[in-house]
Amino acid sequence: MSLALRNLYHQKSKVAISIAGVTLSVFLILTMSGLYLGFSTMMDNMVTHSGADLWVTSEGASGSLHSPSLLPLNIRENLSNIEGVDTVSPLIRQPLSTTLKDDTVLLYINGYDTDTGMGGPWSMASGNSDLDAGEIVIDKVLASQYGYDIGDNITIEEKEFKIIGLSDKSYIMIAYIIFLSFDDAKSFLLEGVTNYFLVSVADGFTDEEVSASIVDTITDVSVSTTSETAKAYKDEVIGGFIPVFWMLSGIGYLVGIQIIGVLIHSITMENSKEFGILKAVGATNFDLYRVVAVQAFIISALGFTIGSIVVPVLISIIQTYVPEFVVEIDLQMIMQSSFLGTLTGLLTSILPARRIAQIDPALVFKEV
Amino acid sequence: MSNQDSHSLDLVVELDHVSKVYGHDASRVVALDDTILHVERGEMVVIMGPSGSGKTTLIQIIGALLSPTTGCVKINGTDLGELSGKKLSKLRLRDIGFIFQNPNLLAALTARRNVELVLNLNGIKGDLARETALRLLDRVGLSGRTRHLPAELSGGEQQRVAIARALANSPSLILADEPTANLDSKTGHKIIEMMKDITKTEERTVIIATHDLRIRDVADRVLWLEDGRLSSHWSNGYAIDPVCLMLIGKLTKTTSEVEEDVYHFCSESCMREFTKDPQKYIERSKLGRISH
Ligand SMILES: Nc1ncnc2c1ncn2[C@@H]1O[C@H](COP(=O)(O)OP(=O)(O)OP(=O)(O)O)[C@@H](O)[C@H]1O
Ligand SMILES: [Mg+2]
């Protein structure tokens, strides 16, 4: 133990460089898992913060973001009359490819009923979300990229809106969400229709009961629960990217382990004469493996711990300058990555095992 | 296998008909040739012989670091040929203390920790290991240097740390290969005195391979190794360098003739030293002359 530590101390600069390398790998790991978590919670918020229990769509168009669901507005009354239905609120979520300041951008129009507030902004960066006609809340990344601020006017498809707030967590990789009152949003859709009706269930009723009643009473509609809708959103927006997140995060681990492996190997090589001395005076191969394993453990624990402290700070600094960097990390993720990293780092001590076994203690006599 | 005789004699080392051959065919070298060596407990044996005579090979075989091509090696009655690699390691750790030509200390560890390490390997930990290490360093006169790293110690001090390390697990046998070769003559002398003292006061068996003739004086027994064979006499093919008193082959090119006597030197520098004041060294070499 003390030998392992002292050998590392003897090679401080090498160890420091390796730890810096491991920190970079932690950056890659946490960024990738953090991007995944960031988008995943954003999709979640989009649905769960709506205050709705049930999402009603046109039949077959289950509650997904890109669904072509269209419902006549006049079924609102019928929905309200169903037993167990508390509130009913229309929601428009409609992609719109448009031109902003000579640039083509993809927007998501989020038009919601400002009376119920259901489906409105789930997280505000600044300003307020108390929308009147002609007012708008836009995503903060959109604002920073195109130079908009609260109080400015924004022209979308020749209609002018006044920006009263900037929303947070409303940037979904390729599209920005903008929030309008339902009536303003209608002009971007056909007259007399909505994409969704959001339904909250009255006390004493279950989601299943009310969902069944809705399907029985109103023809040509589908109903999904909030959690089903959230899952559908996630699958749709980030589902295709999951293998990419996994792969890059896996590469992060490989990079970290590679660095630790190279260090362990080089320290073992450099110490091979000392290991020869130890063998000559009676240390077994196992005694020496243990020294190497302790070294691998110390380096990986140190590297991944330092990385876990430095990287979150680094990420939050980056985020203040680069709002597109929608990375969200939590303690569990950090613990997991340092645990997994330390464990796999420990495995690198297997690499020089063969080399250690081959060291011939008799060579100690030949050195002059 | 062990007979009555060897038990009554309390033999620590028994080499019976041991040969060691390195390489094959053209590169074949017979380093030890049918060697027999029995060493009793408490004995200090010095093995002398010129370079390449097989001293190191012999020490390695006795020290369980090299297995002989043929023959049987026993340490404290245990046949080394019957032990696994792990058991041989344990035997080296507990029963044998090594002193090499180089101190071979671990650079990252202080003097004390270098000694403690072999105690730790033997399962002795904590305060006991620490106190034992300090006591041994005190024994070799290094109580003021326990926190120094090897790089901060002189060659002689490092070699003393190595002696303390060799003694750490109270081995019954101490093996030294040219322990004074890297030291100046005064420091070398101190080391020799120290080893003699330890042998006598602690009743340890010591085998020293060397071509330093001064060690001969403190030995119970001096053996000559020549062409892989041990004997208590040495042949006429060797001479003593009158300057450094090393045993050398007479075939060396560095020779000097004074009053019809031919003197042989281990190196150019010894020869230069000699020619400055031949008489002084001739006197000395006569004192150290080996009778045969
Ligand atoms: N590993 C080896 N492979 C081949 N030959 C070897 C090996 N080790 C030693 N030898 C040869 O065996 C002979 C004895 O070598 P050894 O090292 O035992 O001599 P020595 O008496 O210790 O010499 P010196 O006084 O120079 O240290 C030499 O001829 C040497 O070249
Ligand atoms: Mg030798």
Side-chain angles (χ1 to χ4, degrees), chain A residues 2-3 6-7 10 273-274 277-284 287 360-368, chain B residues 22 56 59-60 65 86 89-90 92-93 98 100-102 104-109 113 117-118 121 165 177:
Chain A
S2 90
L3 177 65
R6 269 151 225 278
N7 274 342
H10 224 62
K273 193 197 160 195
E274 303 213 326
I277 297 169
L278 285 170
K279 273 195 182 184
V281 300
T284 59
D287 290 326
D360 179 7
L363 290 179
V364 173
F365 287 86
K366 305 280 169 185
E367 301 280 340
V368 178
Chain B
Y22 291 111
T56 298
I59 292 285
Q60 286 174 342
L65 285 165
K86 207 177 151 190
S89 290
K90 284 279 165 276
R92 288 201 296 274
L93 184 63
F98 287 95
F100 313 97
Q101 177 170 347
N102 274 342
N104 279 329
L105 302 176
L106 301 195
L109 302 185
R113 293 213 184 258
L117 185 65
V118 287
L121 286 172
R165 177 177 64 186
D177 189 24

Side-chain angles (χ1 to χ4, degrees), chain A residues 287-335:
Chain A
D287 290 326
L288 303 182
Y289 296 149
R290 213 168 38 194
V291 171
V292 175
V294 169
Q295 285 172 343
F297 176 76
I298 292 170
I299 295 163
S300 21
L302 214 60
F304 280 95
T305 307
I306 290 176
S308 301
I309 294 165
V310 171
V311 171
V313 176
L314 206 63
I315 287 177
S316 71
I317 292 172
I318 292 174
Q319 280 174 332
T320 59
Y321 296 102
V322 189
E324 296 90 332
F325 198 58
V326 282
V327 169
E328 191 174 316
I329 46 179
D330 59 12
L331 194 64
Q332 191 196 345
M333 190 193 288
I334 292 170
M335 302 291 270

